[in-house]
Amino acid sequence: MHYTGMELILLLFGYSFMGWIAETSVATIKNKTYVNRGFVAGPFCFIYGMAEVTLTVFLQDLRNSGMFLFLGSMIIATVIEWFAGKILERMKYVKWWDYSHKKFNLDGYVCLQYSLLWGALGFLTVKYANDLIVGLFRMLPDIVKLPLMWLLIAVGGVDLLGNALIMYHIEEKVPQLFRWNCRLREWTLRFGAKVAGTVNYRINRVYPNTAEQKKETVAAVEEDHCGIDKLFWLLVIGAFLGDIVETLFCRLTAGVWMSRSSLVWGPFSIVWGLAIALATALLHRDRNKSDSYLFLLGTFLGGAYEYICSVFTEIVFGKVFWDYSALPFNLGGRINLLYCFFWGIAAVVWIKGLYPKMSGLVDWVMKKTGKWLTRLLVVFMAVNVIVSVAALARYDARGKGVPAEQSWEQLLDEHFDDGRMERIYPNAIQR
């Protein structure tokens, strides 16, 4: 089933609210007092909404696959939870949740118990709940739909911005927004107290001996700095190295020289570059942990990342850039077990071996050149990406028989004709 942007926004807020209700209820059971489990002031737990919308968008082709839908939901949602935990900890040096006391946990951010739950929830929402929610929404008159969406966007956007200001202690710069966020927080507290009171009443009747949750103190973590400039350099380096590695791999395994670039100018694989930048941001402080830890994390993160990239590029550009259907243990031809293991090996090699050397090299280059070389490279890569996206869009449009009407479309057709695009993207096929 195809969902519009407005319907995806509805699902985002709907599942965020339902997740907040669930988290509040569980916290009430454990603590016998109200605890706002959302990151924001309002009654939303956005990690649930983001996870479910991601599963809705990227797992549609597994909707009728049963076990594969369950496994895909479990893996992608687990990666999102781990990613969110890492990001929140990096922002304020505090662990917002900790599953270290549970069996089969990974870094305390995720554990098998909740991963299985994510799989079940993802299966139910993608298979059944989405259609029910969207079906009810479509029954509303059009005069109600648009104002409702704008109201949700306004409330969510202001709430997120207000909490960001609070976290970084700059709320005094926008006092009106801060006061609005305080009013939303007060409303949420009152609403949450009612939810907590109802749950407490029912739980006390059924489970009078429910134990209180043990309070845990999480110490702040020491961090070494890896700023935006360095991450950008590592993205470019990773994109270049990824392109070279894939080109050599194709030569050794298929016996042909084949372009593996994501961009029209230069040997850069953006999929690899983004993967390197994300892995560095999230894992570089874990480089002293065991190889098996990094391998396992890299295998799951890399597999989920490659699957999402495959669906994203197909949705945006209308083409499939890789297909592993001929390989064993593949999932929809988008990922396969062997290449997931390669992601795990790459994580170990990068974090343990290459990152310390590349980090020192980047620091030396930035120290010698200041800001000018970084800014020049940012401009080049930005223009490269924009032109590549436009050229791919025209490549897809030409394949569908859409003529070039605008001057920029004609310019793209002249400089990036089908022959050149086929040389740059030899594996891109229409689906």
Side-chain angles (χ1 to χ4, degrees):
M1 183 175 182
H2 175 72
Y3 301 108
T4 65
M6 187 181 297
E7 290 164 351
L8 290 176
I9 293 173
L10 172 72
L11 293 176
L12 170 67
F13 282 95
Y15 287 124
S16 296
F17 176 71
M18 287 186 279
W20 180 85
I21 290 288
E23 289 277 351
T24 299
S25 300
V26 171
T28 298
I29 293 171
K30 292 183 175 181
N31 295 287
K32 292 193 175 182
T33 185
Y34 167 66
V35 178
N36 184 3
R37 296 291 292 171
F39 171 69
V40 295
F44 303 112
C45 216
F46 280 114
I47 187 172
Y48 285 88
M50 292 171 59
E52 294 300 345
V53 169
T54 301
L55 299 180
T56 297
V57 172
F58 292 103
L59 296 184
Q60 280 299 306
D61 53 352
L62 299 179
R63 183 172 176 171
N64 298 317
S65 300
M67 181 56 68
F68 285 123
L69 176 58
F70 172 82
L71 292 174
S73 299
M74 182 180 73
I75 292 171
I76 292 178
T78 298
V79 169
I80 291 174
E81 185 179 24
W82 184 89
F83 183 85
K86 278 283 188 181
I87 292 296
L88 288 173
E89 182 181 350
R90 295 298 184 252
M91 289 171 64
K92 295 300 288 183
Y93 317 122
V94 173
K95 233 172 186 174
W96 292 70
W97 61 86
D98 191 359
Y99 301 145
S100 299
H101 59 287
K102 294 185 178 294
K103 292 183 178 180
F104 308 111
N105 75 85
L106 185 61
D107 209 27
Y109 293 108
V110 296
C111 66
L112 181 60
Q113 172 186 338
Y114 290 123
S115 293
L116 293 172
L117 179 60
W118 275 117
L121 290 174
F123 176 86
L124 292 173
T125 54
V126 175
K127 186 79 172 178
Y128 303 109
N130 288 342
D131 290 352
L132 177 61
I133 296 172
V134 172
L136 292 173
F137 177 72
R138 289 177 178 176
M139 294 172 63
L140 295 175
D142 292 339
I143 196 172
V144 175
K145 292 179 182 178
L146 192 58
L148 176 61
M149 288 301 100
W150 280 114
L151 177 62
L152 290 175
I153 293 171
V155 170
V158 172
D159 195 11
L160 285 169
L161 180 57
N163 277 271
L165 297 174
I166 293 169
M167 287 184 66
Y168 292 101
H169 308 292
I170 55 176
E171 62 272 11
E172 64 276 3
K173 295 184 179 179
V174 279
Q176 292 295 333
L177 179 60
F178 180 58
R179 285 198 292 269
W180 192 94
N181 208 55
C182 283
R183 287 194 292 271
L184 180 60
R185 190 182 299 275
E186 291 171 2
W187 180 88
T188 305
L189 286 170
R190 290 195 298 270
F191 179 66
K194 292 181 180 180
V195 172
T198 301
V199 173
N200 257 327
Y201 174 73
R202 295 183 178 275
I203 292 300
N204 287 336
R205 288 185 61 187
V206 181
Y207 304 105
N209 297 321
T210 302
E212 293 187 3
Q213 180 188 32
K214 294 182 180 179
K215 295 182 180 180
E216 299 181 15
T217 303
V218 182
V221 295
E222 292 290 333
E223 299 197 52
D224 56 307
H225 183 63
C226 185
I228 297 297
D229 287 350
K230 179 182 285 189
L231 285 176
F232 171 75
W233 272 97
L234 294 176
L235 184 153
V236 175
I237 293 171
F240 174 77
L241 293 178
D243 184 276
I244 299 301
V245 169
E246 284 211 20
T247 300
L248 293 175
F249 181 79
C250 288
R251 174 60 181 172
L252 293 174
T253 57
V256 295
W257 292 107
M258 181 187 301
S259 169
R260 302 301 297 164
S261 178
S262 304
L263 304 178
V264 293
W265 296 320
F268 300 106
S269 175
I270 294 299
V271 172
W272 276 98
L274 286 173
I276 291 296
L278 286 172
T280 302
L282 297 172
L283 297 178
H284 75 281
R285 300 181 189 95
D286 298 330
R287 58 183 175 273
N288 294 323
K289 294 187 177 181
S290 66
D291 291 354
S292 59
Y293 168 87
L294 291 174
F295 173 79
L296 181 63
L297 208 55
T299 297
F300 280 98
L301 290 175
Y305 169 76
E306 187 174 16
Y307 189 96
I308 290 174
C309 286
S310 174
V311 177
F312 176 81
T313 52
E314 182 179 339
I315 291 173
V316 174
F317 302 115
K319 295 186 180 296
V320 177
F321 290 88
W322 60 85
D323 187 357
Y324 303 139
S325 299
L327 296 176
F329 305 108
N330 75 84
L331 185 59
R334 301 186 187 281
I335 59 174
N336 69 86
L337 187 60
L338 176 61
Y339 288 177
C340 286
F341 288 157
F342 286 169
W343 281 111
I345 295 170
V348 176
V349 172
W350 176 258
I351 298 298
K352 289 278 191 177
L354 294 179
Y355 168 70
K357 297 179 177 61
M358 291 297 175
S359 178
L361 175 62
V362 170
D363 287 338
W364 180 82
V365 170
M366 290 195 298
K367 182 178 179 181
K368 291 292 184 179
T369 62
K371 295 286 186 180
W372 70 266
L373 185 57
T374 302
R375 290 171 179 168
L376 182 64
L377 192 57
V378 167
V379 172
F380 168 73
M381 291 300 290
V383 173
N384 203 355
V385 169
I386 292 171
V387 173
S388 299
V389 169
L392 281 166
R394 275 303 303 156
Y395 184 31
D396 179 55
R398 284 197 304 270
K400 297 176 179 177
V402 179
E405 297 179 351
Q406 304 295 327
S407 58
W408 64 270
E409 293 176 325
Q410 297 169 3
L411 188 65
L412 287 171
D413 286 356
E414 178 183 351
H415 291 279
F416 299 100
D417 56 27
D418 288 351
R420 182 174 181 181
M421 295 300 287
E422 288 169 4
R423 289 192 298 273
I424 299 174
Y425 307 104
N427 287 337
I429 58 175
Q430 192 82 29
R431 176 176 287 185

